[in-house]
Amino acid sequence: MAKESVKARQRKREALVAKFAEKRAALKEAGDYAALDKLPKNASPVRLKNRCQLTGRPKGYMRYFGLSRVIFRDMALNGKIPGVKKASW
């Protein structure tokens, strides 16, 4: 499980990206790269990292479910994810 400080930092980045999204798009369209450079670094969407919504784990992230592989397996085996069951043939 990720440290609370790491998860908080990620949430802060997400808020900054959302706050400056329109301004970044307008500056990019205008080609004003000097003004773009003056925006906060964490306002860039490239700096976001996909993390598990429950644990904050950055590795083994399953984009479709928004969970890490470990939590996904637990929830699937307990029947907490509709439509997902263990394969057997």
Side-chain angles (χ1 to χ4, degrees), residues 17-53:
V17 167
K19 180 179 176 184
F20 286 99
E22 274 186 40
K23 190 170 187 178
R24 285 184 65 82
L27 290 173
K28 271 189 159 183
E29 193 175 306
D32 189 359
Y33 297 108
L36 256 178
D37 203 28
K38 292 180 182 170
L39 292 178
K41 283 184 180 179
N42 283 334
S44 173
V46 173
R47 293 179 64 108
L48 291 177
K49 176 81 174 141
N50 288 332
R51 289 184 173 272
C52 175
Q53 293 174 356

Side-chain angles (χ1 to χ4, degrees), residues 14 26 31 33 39 56 59 61 73-74 77 81 84:
E14 289 169 359
Y33 297 108
L39 292 178
K59 296 182 179 180
Y61 178 80
R73 184 169 189 268
D74 265 353
L77 290 177
I81 303 176
V84 176

Side-chain angles (χ1 to χ4, degrees), residues 7-18:
K7 291 195 277 187
R9 194 178 321 143
Q10 178 71 6
R11 285 192 299 271
K12 189 175 179 182
R13 280 191 192 119
E14 289 169 359
L16 266 177
V17 167

